[in-house]
Amino acid sequence: MIKKIRKICCIGAGYVGGPTMAVIAQKCPEIQVTVVDINEDRINQWNQEDLNLLPIFEPGLSDVVGEARDRNLFFSTDVNKAIDEAEMIFISVNTPTKTYGKGKGMAADLKYIELCARQIADVAKDDKIIVEKSTLPVRTAQAIKSILDHTGNNINFQILSNPEFLAEGTAIQDLHNADRVLIGGDHHTVEGQKAMDALSSIYAHWLPKERILQTNVWSSELSKLTANAFLAQRISSINAISALCEKTEADVNEVARAIGSDSRIGPKFLKASVGFGGSCFQKDILNLVYICRTLGLEEVADYWEQVIILNDYQKHRFADNIIKKLYNTVSDKKIAFLGWAFKKDTNDTRETPAMYIADYLIDDKANIAVYDPKVTERQVFADLDYLETRQPDQNRKHVSVYNNPYEACKDAYAIAIITEWDEFVDYDWELVYKNMKKPAFVFDGRNILNLQKHKEIGFIVKAIGKN
Ligand code: UDX
Ligand code: ADP
């Protein structure tokens, strides 16, 4: 008999927890889903009546939340109550790269996970299934289990790994139509198998059974890191080739199309860019590298580290190119940034290439004018200040954030396209050109513009991986 879950709690109402639980609640109306977070502001935003004001911008999310909220989807700050009532608890808290002590800059910081495990241990009065949703280093489940099993209150905790593969900007689509769901657990015990089946039956509400894969816990944890490492590696590979294309007569889009037509390689994730950003790729690879080094696998660690090195190179190369083309200095020159988010259709800016490129240009005394359809001024400055490269007032002196793209581009010496927002393509580029300093440069970091058209207007255009 498959255990029927009636109450779920999810700790962490962020980019992973929020959308994932909203979809589970939408598809399983008989299950009560409570998402809890210690951040009161965030919970208030999830409870906003106006669905346009949810804390996360994600296409389709407001419809899903609108359908399930207050029916069987609840957002709350009462973490203890939700833990106590739930039969299944998802841990969906952040696991950033450690910024201190052992493993600084490399290992995942598990302090938030550990706090959750301790809180569950304190509060739980009956058996629970604990599901790791956050990306975690291999064998974290063991650490969680050891904390939970030492509570001495004879409660049976089953720990499952159920990594999330959704990409931001397409989260709802990815959840509704997942390529696969991975559930790692303890096959060897009846209780372990039952827990895996209980979680599988939740996803089976809307996904075909063959897409729900069960593995052991360690394979599941490692598969998440490996999937992200492979995806990031493809981007670094095509970005490496883009540098070569710029030195030759080759065009990186043509190369990507040619190799992508080979069914063994496939066409996806071959877009050359200013470099990858986002909360996962860099963090997960650093984590993988750290684990390999800890286990004495130096060559394996070096191999994966190169993906990050190449990504840093690509961001610098883009910024460097702007300086070189603008006659070796951008001092006091206005450079317009179209886009700040790490990709289109999201307001997320974690590890966005924009902040590193801006930082590099500010070192050369540029004045940066930012326009992004979804990112706030507050966020732009928070990102730059987070880098701690200079005093916050210096960031404010060199950066202005605009609500209007035409204003951002007015009197600029150059435009840098950082994010591939669709709207950028349809601007009145003749008007943009007219209001810029001449010669007017465009650096297309996403290869979204029609180069020929822009050249005809009068722009000097530099695109990634094109000569
Ligand atoms: C990624 C994984 O795709 C997802 O499975 C995992 O759960 C979390 O990490 P996400 O970071 O949201 O998702 O976005 P993704 O679409 O993977 O893009 C990551 C970065 O790579 C972005 O900065 C994007 O612009 C860049 N990218 C992506 C490229 O530069 N070229 C490409 O061809 C694809
Ligand atoms: P992700 O992209 O992994 O979802 P986010 O940073 O967007 O990461 O979300 C993680 C959320 O987890 C944050 O809103 C944070 O406040 C919350 N969180 C962290 N630790 C705890 C905790 N111990 N209890 C409840 N919520 C927590």
Side-chain angles (χ1 to χ4, degrees), residues 10-19 36-39 42 46 56 79 92-95 111-113 115-116 119 133-135 168 279-280 283 348 350:
C10 171
I11 309 181
Y15 283 89
V16 173
V36 291
D37 203 297
I38 37 175
N39 181 337
R42 214 168 205 183
W46 280 109
I56 288 168
V79 183
S92 223
V93 299
N94 34 336
T95 48
K111 74 173 172 219
Y112 304 106
I113 297 280
L115 280 172
C116 285
Q119 194 162 1
K133 224 6 154 177
S134 318
T135 309
E168 288 172 31
S279 68
C280 285
K283 179 188 80 178
D348 192 353
R350 286 177 289 179

Side-chain angles (χ1 to χ4, degrees), residues 91 93-100 102-103 107-118 132 134-144 147 221 283 287 290-291:
I91 302 184
V93 299
N94 34 336
T95 48
T97 305
K98 252 185 121 178
T99 52
Y100 54 89
K102 192 168 183 295
D109 191 342
L110 298 181
K111 74 173 172 219
Y112 304 106
I113 297 280
E114 186 178 332
L115 280 172
C116 285
R118 290 187 186 280
E132 303 174 342
S134 318
T135 309
L136 297 167
V138 192
R139 305 202 78 89
T140 306
Q142 202 172 35
I144 298 180
I147 293 170
E221 288 179 335
K283 179 188 80 178
N287 198 349
Y290 181 73
I291 294 169

Side-chain angles (χ1 to χ4, degrees), residues 50-304:
D50 182 350
L51 290 166
N52 292 315
L53 298 176
L54 297 179
I56 288 168
F57 171 73
E58 191 64 64
L61 176 64
S62 55
D63 291 342
V64 178
V65 172
E67 186 182 329
R69 200 176 58 187
D70 298 332
R71 177 188 71 187
N72 63 325
L73 174 65
F74 303 93
F75 295 92
S76 162
T77 49
D78 196 342
V79 183
N80 283 355
K81 179 166 180 271
I83 291 176
D84 179 30
E85 290 180 351
E87 296 146 303
M88 184 177 271
I89 301 170
F90 287 79
I91 302 184
S92 223
V93 299
N94 34 336
T95 48
T97 305
K98 252 185 121 178
T99 52
Y100 54 89
K102 192 168 183 295
K104 179 178 171 185
M106 299 293 288
D109 191 342
L110 298 181
K111 74 173 172 219
Y112 304 106
I113 297 280
E114 186 178 332
L115 280 172
C116 285
R118 290 187 186 280
Q119 194 162 1
I120 296 170
D122 279 348
V123 172
K125 298 199 273 295
D126 48 16
D127 295 354
K128 310 266 182 215
I129 299 171
I130 312 295
V131 186
E132 303 174 342
K133 224 6 154 177
S134 318
T135 309
L136 297 167
V138 192
R139 305 202 78 89
T140 306
Q142 202 172 35
I144 298 180
K145 191 158 177 45
S146 124
I147 293 170
L148 293 173
D149 284 350
H150 285 84
T151 56
N153 49 10
N154 281 334
I155 293 176
N156 178 16
F157 290 104
Q158 284 299 322
I159 321 287
L160 302 180
S161 157
N162 173 220
E164 190 45 70
F165 294 104
L166 64 82
E168 288 172 31
T170 52
I172 299 301
Q173 200 180 313
D174 295 344
L175 286 160
H176 279 164
N177 194 23
D179 286 340
R180 73 342 198 156
V181 166
L182 191 53
I183 297 174
D186 183 359
H187 279 297
H188 301 296
T189 63
V190 176
E191 288 305 313
Q193 187 59 51
K194 271 191 180 164
M196 289 165 88
D197 291 343
L199 183 54
S200 298
S201 76
I202 291 176
Y203 288 106
H205 278 70
W206 74 95
L207 291 170
K209 288 220 164 51
E210 58 279 9
R211 288 202 213 157
I212 303 170
L213 313 181
Q214 296 191 349
T215 65
N216 76 36
V217 184
W218 326 123
S219 306
S220 170
E221 288 179 335
L222 185 58
S223 300
K224 170 67 184 181
L225 293 186
T226 309
N228 277 345
F230 268 57
L231 290 169
Q233 180 201 42
R234 269 173 86 92
I235 303 169
S236 278
S237 297
I238 198 70
N239 281 343
I241 298 300
S242 78
L244 185 55
C245 288
E246 287 168 34
K247 299 272 182 209
T248 61
E249 301 273 304
D251 174 327
V252 76
N253 283 356
E254 291 181 353
V255 174
R257 187 155 58 105
I259 63 164
S261 310
D262 182 327
S263 61
R264 291 169 303 174
I265 297 176
K268 292 184 182 163
F269 260 72
L270 285 179
K271 284 200 200 88
S273 65
V274 280
F276 59 75
S279 68
C280 285
F281 285 173
Q282 170 154 318
K283 179 188 80 178
D284 288 355
I285 294 180
L286 288 175
N287 198 349
L288 189 63
V289 169
Y290 181 73
I291 294 169
C292 292
R293 291 216 194 284
T294 317
L295 299 174
L297 303 172
E298 291 298 329
E299 286 78 2
V300 183
D302 289 347
Y303 175 77
W304 287 109

